[in-house]
Each structure stands twice: as C-alpha cells, then as structure tokens.
Amino acid sequence: MARVLISMPERFLDEIDAVAGQENRTRSELIREALRTYMYRNQIRNSQKALKNAEILEAILE
C-alpha cells in the first residue's frame, strides 16, 4: 500500500485521533473511509449534474 504525507493543523489531527479512538480504528482507516465517502458523494453529485444538463439540453432541442 502506498503512503501519502499530508499536512493539517494539530487541532484537527487531535480531533481525528479522538474519533478514531472512539471507534476503535486507526487514523489511517478513518481517513481512508472519509476519502471514500467524499469520492462517492462527488461521483453522485457529478452524475446528478450530468443528468440535469442532459435534461436542459433535451428541453432546448425540442
């Protein structure tokens, strides 16, 4: 597995560690899940935009 170095405010990292601890997970697991969720939501948002744009184009072309 590849490693990635990121920078963030210490306070934010403390919050991440607290949540990971409460959920009995590693920091890496929590961050991976957060990124998966973000990417999934972004994909849905983009799909919805594409559908809306197609509907607009279809209405214009009628």
Side-chain angles (χ1 to χ4, degrees):
M1 187 175 301
R3 291 178 179 250
V4 176
L5 179 66
I6 61 171
S7 300
M8 66 182 65
E10 192 75 30
R11 183 174 168 199
F12 187 53
L13 186 57
D14 291 341
E15 291 180 40
I16 291 170
D17 288 340
V19 171
Q22 291 167 1
E23 297 182 3
N24 198 30
R25 300 197 287 178
T26 65
R27 179 191 293 167
S28 291
E29 288 171 329
L30 183 66
I31 293 171
R32 276 194 300 270
E33 182 178 335
L35 288 171
R36 263 190 234 102
T37 300
Y38 173 83
M39 290 167 46
Y40 175 74
R41 288 180 180 172
N42 192 52
Q43 182 181 17
I44 289 172
R45 220 176 1 258
N46 288 340
S47 295
Q48 290 171 342
K49 284 181 188 177
L51 181 58
K52 185 176 181 179
N53 288 342
E55 290 171 353
I56 292 169
L57 181 58
E58 185 177 331
I60 291 171
L61 295 175
E62 289 181 347

